Amino acid sequence: MTGFGKRPDTIVHEQDPFNAEPARAALGAAPITPLDTFYARNHGPVPDLDPGSWRLRVGGLVERELELGLGELLGGRFERCEEVVTLQCAGNRRAGLIAVRDIPGEAPWGPGATATARWGGIALGDVLAAAGPRPQARHVAFVGADRSEEAKPPQLYGASIPLRKALRPEVMLASEMNGAPLVPVHGAPLRCVVPGYIGARSVKWLERIELRAEPWDGYFQSTAYRLLPPDGEPAPLAGMALGLVAVNADILIPDDGAQVEPGPVEVSGYAFAGGERHIGRVDVSADGGRTWRQAELLDDLGPWAWRLWRIEFDLASGANEIVVRAWDSAGGLQPERAESLWNPKGYVNNAWGRITVHARG
Ligand SMILES: Nc1nc2c(c(=O)[nH]1)N[C@H]1C(S)=C(S)[C@@H](COP(=O)(O)O)O[C@H]1N2
Ligand SMILES: [Mo]
């Protein structure tokens, strides 16, 4: 059983809490990811909230505390906005790190813990302006309705971003995904969407916003989603907090290990710059990285979305190692090997994407 309306070929890492990613070919089929193909990343059970009685509370370092229902938020007081945004989990492509050294207790995500949707809702900044941040406020924390037993101690899911990011127009409170009302597994009735930041900051089932002088002190901000040195141990404030996404790319079509006919083969995948950067160039090699050609970049979906890319190669019979590497607009290139990236929680594998394709003959 797959569940939550996902495609039958979805790869389910965990049924409860529900953690699942699409197969490579499904993710590579469209620039805007259909709902049944969008990965799901949950740290606890999916809450089923009643939109009629649901309230958003805004408090902490504000001039005016707010408590708003869905009608008050979406009824016209705040201007409606829409944005195409790629979400990417910090654990995306962890399988490549696990291949270097095991990471017990963490799901072996492939390249599918990222996806792109057209989100509809309101700007977070407009709601913050209504509450009036006090001068001491530096961070905005989001608290969801889901209680995670994975956290130490068990607690509601929460995260924070810097206030200066929260006030930017691209940061949304979203009630719609791809033109339809948000579904429960993706955070209904309202979630944050924080473009350019790791998915963990886009808090689902949002019920509380707290303005603070310091980052959120809950488990998912202070202990999880931190990049540890290879010999580090997870502990509050150990290592560095993750925020901006690093440049990344992988191959989606053909599948790793696919059998193809020798001759022309189309290769395609995604590249995502993260932060405020965009994709500058995507190189692809069909000979394990000895020679490179530039891929064609497909639909430009705006500043907060991935670029799908494609290129055609003439494959000789035998095993062909296909490699992708992306450059961002800051001149940053993905690291070549996952070996140098290994970390105890398995975050930020942005090593060059590699697959092997077998041409028979
Ligand atoms: N309330 C809540 N929000 C959450 C999570 C969660 O477990 N609970 N998971 C986070 C993580 S780690 C990611 S990557 C994204 C995934 O969003 P999606 O499930 O809609 O793909 O949601 C984030 N928001
Ligand atoms: Mo995530």
Side-chain angles (χ1 to χ4, degrees), residues 38-41 43 89 146 157 186 191 199 202 204-205 225:
F38 206 102
Y39 78 101
R41 174 75 182 100
H43 298 80
C89 184
D146 53 325
Y157 188 90
H186 293 296
R191 78 175 297 172
S202 290
K204 304 190 275 190
W205 313 292
Y225 296 104

Side-chain angles (χ1 to χ4, degrees), residues 19 39 41-43 88-92 94 109 113 157 198-201 225 347:
N19 283 293
Y39 78 101
R41 174 75 182 100
N42 296 303
H43 298 80
Q88 187 158 116
C89 184
N92 187 41
R94 179 180 288 127
W109 294 94
Y157 188 90
I198 59 165
R201 308 303 180 225
Y225 296 104
Y347 298 132

